[in-house]
Amino acid sequence: MSYKKILTVQDISCVGQCSLTVALPIISACGIETCVLPSAVLSTHTAGFTGYTFHDLTEDMPLICEHWRKTGIAFDAIYTGYLGSAQQIAHVEDLFETVAAEGCLKIVDPAMADNGKLYPGFDMAFVENMKHLCGKADYLVPNITEACFLTGTEYRETYDRAYIDELLAKLTALGCKNIIFTGISYAEGKTGVVVYENGAYDYYEHDKLPNSCHGTGDIYASAFVGALMRGKSAYEAAKIAADYAVACIKSTAEEENHWYGAKFEPVLGKLIAAVND
């Protein structure tokens, strides 16, 4: 296996086990050189914390990209997570054009919404810009809420296969032909991930845990990217990432004071074993 180099673009929440503080260790643990482009630096993430600091790095992003371009640095994959503005989306599109090595995989997690609502600070203008970025991705990793906003579809908490198929058709119409659709539940007590690759549908189902944790979407996407870059098929990578995210949630279940994230570090060994299997 050749030694791969990946760039991940998202914020640094210094405390909170999300975004770059999970992407960097998880993808690195998969055996991939992981380079970062921070979009912002926060003292903590914004879910449940108050009084946090925020430093926007939008103006730095094109300067960093230009230095890489002049230096001849290029990446085998570019993976984007939380982006804070339409301008940051435009900078990522420039990255796709300037520092992508031949055959570079582009993976977009349109981290902007959950539970039927956009995250604070986002509006439909941001969604329109995200649609354009999603169309340039090789793999798109949305949840149902994000898929609904991207496609102008009514959000439902209960649904059937036909509803998911409709969303998949609308998502691929944006331009991305491969969708890793997370949090899809067809039966009570179960959830899973749909892998839709060039028109072929597959589904990996697992138990739905009673508790949830902040940052598990970032954990999932990072594990998927790491496994994919280690040569696993999209379905294998989606399964590995799902099993790992479940293990992270289980490792946190008994920790009443650990409300701000998932304890992903103690179970990294399971992920390493899976990608090396």
Side-chain angles (χ1 to χ4, degrees):
M1 184 195 75
S2 61
Y3 188 53
K4 301 291 186 181
K5 180 188 296 181
I6 184 171
L7 171 67
T8 181
V9 188
Q10 45 193 305
D11 70 281
I12 298 175
S13 291
C14 299
V15 172
Q17 293 175 306
C18 66
S19 57
L20 281 182
T21 61
V22 301
L24 178 56
I26 286 174
I27 300 172
S28 296
C30 291
I32 308 298
E33 180 181 353
T34 311
C35 306
V36 302
L37 179 55
S39 58
V41 179
L42 295 84
S43 55
T44 67
H45 63 60
T46 61
F49 289 104
T50 59
Y52 49 83
T53 67
F54 176 88
H55 182 67
D56 186 3
L57 295 175
T58 301
E59 293 184 0
D60 295 88
M61 293 173 70
L63 302 177
I64 294 169
C65 177
E66 179 62 12
H67 179 234
W68 288 339
R69 186 191 66 78
K70 289 181 177 178
T71 310
I73 294 171
F75 302 96
D76 299 298
I78 300 174
Y79 153 47
T80 72
Y82 184 96
L83 300 171
S85 67
Q87 187 60 50
Q88 291 189 353
I89 292 174
H91 291 330
V92 168
E93 291 178 343
D94 288 341
L95 288 168
F96 283 178
E97 298 296 325
T98 57
V99 294
E102 184 176 356
C104 174
L105 281 180
K106 304 171 184 70
I107 305 103
V108 173
D109 177 2
M112 61 181 182
D114 204 359
N115 299 315
K117 298 179 180 179
L118 288 171
Y119 293 152
F122 290 153
D123 56 19
M124 292 309 298
F126 180 88
V127 173
E128 288 300 315
N129 283 277
M130 181 58 74
K131 286 182 185 180
H132 193 257
L133 181 65
C134 290
K136 296 186 175 184
D138 295 300
Y139 288 91
L140 186 63
V141 192
N143 60 33
I144 286 184
T145 301
E146 289 157 351
C148 288
F149 275 107
L150 288 168
T151 61
T153 305
E154 181 185 0
Y155 172 75
R156 299 181 191 171
E157 292 186 355
T158 57
Y159 47 83
D160 56 13
R161 169 70 187 271
Y163 177 73
I164 297 303
D165 287 345
E166 177 188 357
L167 284 170
L168 289 169
K170 290 179 178 179
L171 286 170
T172 55
L174 296 176
C176 179
K177 303 306 179 186
N178 305 309
I179 315 294
I180 310 301
F181 206 171
T182 62
I184 307 303
S185 176
Y186 293 129
E188 187 175 353
K190 298 289 186 179
T191 190
V193 54
V194 168
V195 178
Y196 188 78
E197 199 169 21
N198 294 316
Y201 175 101
D202 213 337
Y203 181 61
Y204 177 65
E205 185 179 70
H206 57 81
D207 289 339
K208 186 175 184 178
L209 301 178
N211 61 308
S212 61
C213 300
H214 294 297
T216 50
D218 297 339
I219 288 171
Y220 179 88
S222 299
F224 170 78
V225 170
L228 189 70
M229 293 303 293
R230 282 297 305 271
K232 301 296 184 182
S233 69
Y235 179 82
E236 290 171 330
K239 178 182 183 298
I240 287 169
D243 290 343
Y244 178 61
V246 168
C248 294
I249 295 170
K250 286 181 176 179
S251 77
T252 317
E254 303 302 321
E255 296 283 346
E256 292 184 4
N257 294 326
H258 201 94
W259 56 268
Y260 53 83
K263 293 168 59 179
F264 71 92
E265 301 93 342
V267 288
L268 268 174
K270 293 184 178 182
L271 175 62
I272 294 169
V275 297
N276 284 294
D277 186 22

